[in-house]
Every structure is written in C-alpha cells, then in structure tokens.
Amino acid sequence: MTIRRYLRLLPVVPSVLLLLVFLLAPVAWSFYASFTNAALSGRAARDPQWVGLENYVRMFSDDSFPLAAWLTVVFVAASAVLGQNVLGLLIALLMRRSRKAVSSWVGTAVVAAWILPEIVAAFAAYAYFNRDGTLNQMLALFGGKGPDWLYTFPLVAIILANTWRGTAFSMLVYRAALADVPQDVSEAALMDGAQGWQRLAFITLPLIRSSIATNLMLITLQTLAVFTLIWVMTAGGPANASTTLPVLAYQEAFKFGDIGYGTAVASVLIVLGVVFGAVYVRLLREQKP
Amino acid sequence: MSRPRIAADIALAVIGFCFVAPLLWLLLAAVDPHAGYQTAVPSAPSMDNFGAVFTPELLFQPLTNSFLLSAGTAAVNLVAAVLAAYPLSRYQSRFNKPFMYSVLFGTSLPVTAIMVPVYGLFVQLQLLDSMMATIFFMATTTLPMAIWMMKNFMDSVPLELEEAAWMDGASSMAALRTIVLPLMRQGLGVVFIFVFIQAWGNFFVPFILLLSTAKQPAAVSIFSFFGQHGAIAYGQLAAFSILYSVPVLLLYVLVSRSVGSSFALSGSVKG
C-alpha cells in the first residue's frame, strides 16, 4: 500500500528533475563559485581557486557594489512600490467611475506596454527618452527644453520606463480585487456621510489589503530582476549611474570576465529574492488557511 | 452625466495618452523611410522599411528560431506540468502542500540573478549554444508557474467522471489522457500560450546561452541589428520590432477573449 502511494507520485519526477538541474543547481553553484576566483577565460577559468570571502570583502570595499545596491533600492521603491503600485491602483479606481469605452481603451493601452516583448518595449522607451525623442518634443510644445534624459537623468528615465512597462500587472490585480468589494459596503459608508478619500482609506483599501500585499511582493520581485530595459536604454551608464544589481552582476561576469565576483553579486540578489519570496508565500498561506 | 464621472474620464484619458505616447514612435517610424528618433508624421509614408527587413537572414531565420524556442519551451512545460499536476490534484498526500509551496517559492526566484551561474553551469556541461538545453532551461524558469496554473485548472475538473473510469479498470494515466485532459482543453491552451508569450519575449536567456547567429531568436538578433544599424536605420528597427511583436499581441488577444484579461494572474495571485 505504501509503495503504491509513492508510485502515485511518480509523474511529479520529471518536473522535480528539471527544477533540481536547472534551478536549484545553478543557485547552489552560484554560492559555491562566489567563494572562488572563477573567470571567463585564462588560467582561473580552467582551474578556479578557493578564495574564501575575498569576493564579498571586495564588494564592500569597492565603490560599485554599494552604489548598485542603493540604485536597486531606489529603482524598486520608485518604479514598483510607488510607480506601478499606486498608478495601477489609481487606474483601477478611476475605471470604476468612468465610461466603459474610456476604461476599455485605456486598459488596452496600459496592457499593450506590458505584453510587448521586453526588447521592443526597451527600444520604444529608448527612443522616447532620447534627446530628440517624443518626450522632449512634447516638452518643446509647451516651450520647455528637455534634457538629454538618458545621460543626465538615467535613473529617472529607467524608473519612468519601468513604471510604464509594468503598471498593467498592478492594474489587473486591483481591478480583480475591487470587483470583489461589495457595492453596499461603500454605499453604507456614503450614507454615514463618509467622504470619497475616507471611504478609500478606511473601507476599500483595508478590504483589498491582501491583494495589495501580494501585488507588492510580486512587482518587487519582478522589478528586482529587470535587466533588458536598463541594458538597452543606458547599459548601466553613464559611469554606473544606472547600474542596478543585475546589470552589475552581468558586467562583472561577462564584460570583465570575473565570474567569481559576478556570482557573488548574483548570490546577493538570490538571497534578496528568497527573502521576498518567503514573505510572499507566507502571505498566501495566511490567506488560505 | 455627473461631474465626478467626467473628471474620471478625463484623468483616465490623460493616463492612457501617456501610455500610448512611447508607442507612437514605433508605429510612425516603421512607415517612414527617413525616420529618426523624433515622432513625426512621415512626409511620404511607405512600406519600404518592412521591405528592407523582409529577408531570410534578417527576419525569417530569427523568427523561426523564436518559434522553435517558444513552442519547445511551451511543450516541455505542458508535458511536465500536466504530469506533476495530476497526482497533486487527485491524491491527498502530505507531500502536496509543501511541494506546492516550494513551487510557488520557485516562481519568485529572480531569473536574471541566476544567469551568471547558469552560464557557468552550461560551460561546465558543454551545453552552451545548444538549442535543446536552452529550451529545457527556459521551460524550467516558467515551470513553477505552469504547475501552479495547471493544478488549479485540473482541480476544476470533477472527480466523479474519473472514478467511473477507474471502476472500469482504466489506469490513472489512461483516465488522465481520455477524460481529464479533454475536459481541460482550455486550460491547456492558456498555459501553452502563457509560456509561449513569455519565451517569445525573453531576451536575456538566449542572449547569454545561444552564441551563434544561426540559432538566435528574434529578440537577440533585433538587439544586434540595433547595435550595428541602430544609429542609421531607425525605421527598419521599428518595422522589425512590429513584425516581431505581432504574434504575441495576437496570442494575448486570443487568450484574453476566451478567459478574460486577468488570465495571467490565475496562477500567481489567486493561489
């Protein structure tokens, strides 16, 4: 009987194997390699040596890692937590009040930026923030002269671009969540004379707080991993001014050939992902007893 | 019409315009043979840009590679996820819950973070530039999501029909094939398209793992094209981008028509 029980689980094996070989093994290898001087080419590529904590020590004595960590925090906070999250909620709230034609048109526009292949979205954003690009053309209409965004304000440009690219996800989450908020609850509050913002702060938001929490976790994880958008728009430049952790890991490993240091940076990112992932799983467990 | 409603309409329209603005350049530059980075209505619109990129090595080969990569990834996902979802959905076991939560945990791993170690692993195993290995790796990155979605879809197929088949002596795999799968055709389609769209748009993974131009998908070849000709052939870049984007836009419309636009969330948020 027990053997049959285990045999039943046999179909899970291919998935488990894939996950072990292609997901868990790279993670384990990342931690291992971060303690070595593994390189892309040369002697250290054939025969990497154990260097202990050297890569991690270098991380904190180097200027580029603390800067990249800080830029990553700013990028995630501004483009995900503030940008995508708040804008997504705002759009979802406005959609409940506006005409169907308007809301479906705007919904399509927002989703289009999200569903486009990321490289195409990145090109569009590159052109948009270019010195001669659409944004500066629009500013010129109002008599302003825009800066060369990608060189002068690269972080602002990638934050706005990532907000544009990812807001659709939050919008969809909040539309679904708001659809479940019973109409009579907010009507009852209206009878009590609650103002619009009071209804929002004390009734609507508390009712959808679990959606807010999961959404924040997911968009944080997604934004933490953004590479292509930044790589195409600024390549991390000028002079590391928009180098977030994924870009730094890539540069160290593939541009400078230092796989050991690159995997050390990657390992930090993995740990960050694990922490946020653990919180996310916990949140979902609490929702579903 | 009430005033707050008009205000909401106007606010939404402004936001909508901001979202469309970056895409205008793409559309206008594609039909403008003299396009730059400025958004302008072309003085002499033509399809020249499309004509220029309509060559086997520039367009057809990369798109074929994209298709092979995406369809392969989606197929691997479908097979592995169906197999895994079946016991998880049908049998109570104390492994189920921990397994599903580990899978969920897997969905949150930042894939860009593991590309450096994956490159290292592929070098060691001599798998670099292998289409097959790239397919299996890409399939694994979307597999947690696929398993989660597939189990949800399978849970909605009632158990009674299968029990009847078991009575008649059918094995569980036969019941899965002849009863469960036909009933969840729509779910299978959604998972396939969901994975396909993700793989089609993926740039970073093939950029790292596929080295020869003959194997690179459109996402990577379009990036090299941008690097080599970006400074001069803006219009062609835009035309190429549009041709490459159309398939996923169509697939998205197809899926959202059949299951609603929140399909992508069915796996992640609802749990």
Side-chain angles (χ1 to χ4, degrees), chain A residues 11 15 18 26 40 97-99 106 115 118 123 126 132 134 137 164 169 221 225 227-228 250 266 277-278 280 285, chain B residues 4-5 9 12 19 37-39 80 83 101 105 108 112-113 117 119 140 201 203-204 207 226 244 249 252 265 268:
Chain A
S15 290
L18 280 174
L40 206 53
R97 294 191 154 203
S98 69
R99 244 174 297 200
V106 173
I115 210 70
E118 56 180 339
F123 285 143
Y126 177 82
D132 307 322
T134 315
Q137 279 181 285
W164 167 71
F169 186 83
L221 285 161
F227 172 84
T228 308
Y250 174 84
Y280 165 58
R285 278 180 95 141
Chain B
R5 195 157 182 199
D9 280 347
L12 261 191
F19 274 84
Y37 279 126
Q38 274 168 330
T39 300
L83 287 174
Y101 281 116
F105 191 61
S108 52
T112 43
Y119 178 86
T140 310
F203 163 76
F204 198 35
F207 178 61
F226 166 72
Y244 160 57
L249 295 177
Y252 181 80
L265 311 169
S268 54

Side-chain angles (χ1 to χ4, degrees), chain B residues 185-247:
Chain B
R185 270 196 310 263
Q186 201 190 34
L188 294 175
V190 169
V191 175
F192 188 92
I193 293 177
F194 177 77
V195 175
F196 190 96
I197 289 179
Q198 292 219 328
W200 184 271
N202 199 322
F203 163 76
F204 198 35
V205 175
F207 178 61
I208 300 284
L209 298 180
L210 293 174
L211 306 176
S212 51
T213 19
K215 291 178 187 167
Q216 282 167 347
V220 180
S221 72
I222 214 171
F223 180 73
S224 331
F225 178 84
F226 166 72
Q228 287 157 14
H229 312 281
I232 34 169
Y234 307 101
Q236 291 178 23
L237 180 72
F240 195 171
S241 298
I242 288 175
L243 290 171
Y244 160 57
S245 306
V246 166

Side-chain angles (χ1 to χ4, degrees), chain B:
Chain B
M1 174 143 307
S2 67
R3 222 180 323 145
R5 195 157 182 199
I6 293 173
D9 280 347
I10 293 173
L12 261 191
V14 170
I15 294 173
F17 175 77
C18 292
F19 274 84
V20 173
L23 296 175
L24 282 180
W25 171 79
L26 210 58
L27 295 174
L28 291 174
V31 292
D32 186 353
H34 309 293
Y37 279 126
Q38 274 168 330
T39 300
V41 178
S43 49
S46 79
M47 298 304 271
D48 288 359
N49 292 325
F50 290 94
V53 295
F54 236 74
T55 65
E57 65 268 29
L58 221 49
L59 191 72
F60 306 134
Q61 181 71 47
L63 285 185
T64 310
N65 291 342
S66 285
F67 179 79
L68 290 176
L69 215 53
S70 313
T73 303
V76 171
N77 261 283
L78 215 56
V79 173
V82 162
L83 287 174
Y86 187 70
L88 292 167
S89 168
R90 286 332 195 210
Y91 307 122
Q92 295 299 322
S93 150
R94 65 201 152 89
F95 295 113
N96 286 6
K97 248 191 161 167
F99 184 81
M100 285 312 281
Y101 281 116
S102 324
V103 163
L104 188 65
F105 191 61
T107 61
S108 52
L109 202 69
V111 173
T112 43
I114 61 168
M115 284 323 291
V116 178
V118 164
Y119 178 86
L121 195 75
F122 271 49
V123 170
Q124 301 263 308
L125 302 174
Q126 298 193 317
L127 290 173
L128 268 192
D129 208 26
S130 152
M131 199 83 159
M132 215 48 189
T134 308
I135 286 175
F136 276 106
F137 172 69
M138 277 171 65
T140 310
T141 62
T142 41
L143 188 58
M145 191 62 90
I147 293 176
W148 195 263
M149 287 170 83
M150 198 67 88
K151 180 182 172 292
N152 282 347
F153 283 123
M154 213 176 267
D155 283 346
S156 62
V157 176
L159 197 61
E160 289 80 18
L161 296 165
E162 266 167 283
E163 279 168 347
W166 290 340
M167 295 296 184
D168 296 341
S171 72
S172 60
M173 282 298 122
L176 171 66
R177 207 177 55 240
T178 57
I179 295 166
V180 184
L181 291 186
L183 283 174
M184 52 181 287
R185 270 196 310 263
Q186 201 190 34
L188 294 175
V190 169
V191 175
F192 188 92
I193 293 177
F194 177 77
V195 175
F196 190 96
I197 289 179
Q198 292 219 328
W200 184 271
N202 199 322
F203 163 76
F204 198 35
V205 175
F207 178 61
I208 300 284
L209 298 180
L210 293 174
L211 306 176
S212 51
T213 19
K215 291 178 187 167
Q216 282 167 347
V220 180
S221 72
I222 214 171
F223 180 73
S224 331
F225 178 84
F226 166 72
Q228 287 157 14
H229 312 281
I232 34 169
Y234 307 101
Q236 291 178 23
L237 180 72
F240 195 171
S241 298
I242 288 175
L243 290 171
Y244 160 57
S245 306
V246 166
V248 288
L249 295 177
L250 291 179
L251 283 176
Y252 181 80
V253 171
L254 186 75
V255 173
S256 58
R257 282 273 157 80
S258 71
V259 289
S261 59
S262 56
F263 84 92
L265 311 169
S266 57
S268 54
V269 174
K270 286 184 187 162

Side-chain angles (χ1 to χ4, degrees), chain A residues 183-252:
Chain A
Q183 200 69 44
D184 51 331
V185 172
S186 45
E187 269 165 19
L190 196 63
M191 295 297 201
D192 296 340
Q195 296 285 313
W197 68 268
Q198 283 176 329
R199 282 206 304 274
L200 182 67
F202 297 118
I203 296 164
T204 314
L205 291 187
L207 277 173
I208 62 166
R209 66 175 183 279
S210 64
S211 298
I212 297 176
T214 26
N215 182 53
L216 280 176
M217 284 301 126
L218 287 171
I219 60 176
T220 298
L221 285 161
Q222 283 160 10
T223 305
L224 213 50
V226 168
F227 172 84
T228 308
L229 197 65
I230 301 174
W231 189 245
V232 169
M233 286 177 70
T234 67
N240 284 350
S242 56
T243 300
T244 56
L245 289 175
V247 179
L248 183 69
Y250 174 84
Q251 281 180 337
E252 292 295 342

Side-chain angles (χ1 to χ4, degrees), chain A:
Chain A
M1 194 60 210
T2 345
I3 294 176
R4 264 194 69 187
R5 270 198 127 114
Y6 285 115
L7 277 180
R8 281 167 163 185
L9 289 172
L10 210 57
V12 184
V13 172
S15 290
V16 171
L17 279 180
L18 280 174
L19 293 170
L20 285 180
V21 173
F22 288 109
L23 227 48
L24 214 60
V27 169
W29 194 83
S30 179
F31 287 111
Y32 165 74
S34 71
F35 293 104
T36 69
N37 66 351
L40 206 53
S41 53
R43 203 155 60 103
R46 283 189 302 275
D47 183 26
Q49 299 295 314
W50 185 267
V51 295
L53 285 170
E54 199 177 283
N55 288 319
Y56 290 95
V57 172
R58 194 187 130 192
M59 234 180 230
F60 292 97
S61 53
D62 224 20
D63 285 341
S64 55
F65 179 81
L67 177 66
W70 169 244
L71 289 174
T72 309
V73 170
V74 175
F75 179 63
V76 170
S79 74
V81 178
L82 270 178
Q84 295 180 8
N85 184 49
V86 174
L87 192 58
L89 179 63
L90 180 71
I91 296 173
L93 285 168
L94 286 171
M95 277 176 163
R96 272 158 69 91
R97 294 191 154 203
S98 69
R99 244 174 297 200
K100 189 140 195 316
V102 179
S103 75
S104 80
W105 179 82
V106 173
T108 309
V110 176
V111 166
W114 179 59
I115 210 70
L116 274 181
E118 56 180 339
I119 191 93
V120 175
F123 285 143
Y126 177 82
Y128 183 76
F129 287 104
N130 201 276
R131 200 179 38 171
D132 307 322
T134 315
L135 179 59
N136 281 350
Q137 279 181 285
M138 289 196 297
L139 290 176
L141 284 183
F142 297 103
K145 194 183 175 314
D148 192 345
W149 294 94
L150 297 170
Y151 286 94
T152 321
F153 300 111
L155 191 61
V156 175
I158 60 171
I159 284 170
L160 290 174
N162 190 50
T163 305
W164 167 71
R165 164 101 175 129
T167 295
F169 186 83
S170 303
M171 178 192 81
L172 292 173
V173 169
Y174 290 135
R175 278 183 78 177
L178 289 174
D180 291 340
V181 172
Q183 200 69 44
D184 51 331
V185 172
S186 45
E187 269 165 19
L190 196 63
M191 295 297 201
D192 296 340
Q195 296 285 313
W197 68 268
Q198 283 176 329
R199 282 206 304 274
L200 182 67
F202 297 118
I203 296 164
T204 314
L205 291 187
L207 277 173
I208 62 166
R209 66 175 183 279
S210 64
S211 298
I212 297 176
T214 26
N215 182 53
L216 280 176
M217 284 301 126
L218 287 171
I219 60 176
T220 298
L221 285 161
Q222 283 160 10
T223 305
L224 213 50
V226 168
F227 172 84
T228 308
L229 197 65
I230 301 174
W231 189 245
V232 169
M233 286 177 70
T234 67
N240 284 350
S242 56
T243 300
T244 56
L245 289 175
V247 179
L248 183 69
Y250 174 84
Q251 281 180 337
E252 292 295 342
F254 296 112
K255 228 167 113 190
F256 306 126
D258 194 342
I259 299 275
Y261 191 58
T263 48
V265 176
S267 300
V268 172
L269 259 178
I270 292 170
V271 170
L272 276 177
V274 166
V275 170
F276 279 99
V279 175
Y280 165 58
V281 170
R282 232 201 138 94
L283 280 170
L284 278 193
R285 278 180 95 141
E286 278 166 10
Q287 281 169 42
K288 281 203 340 179

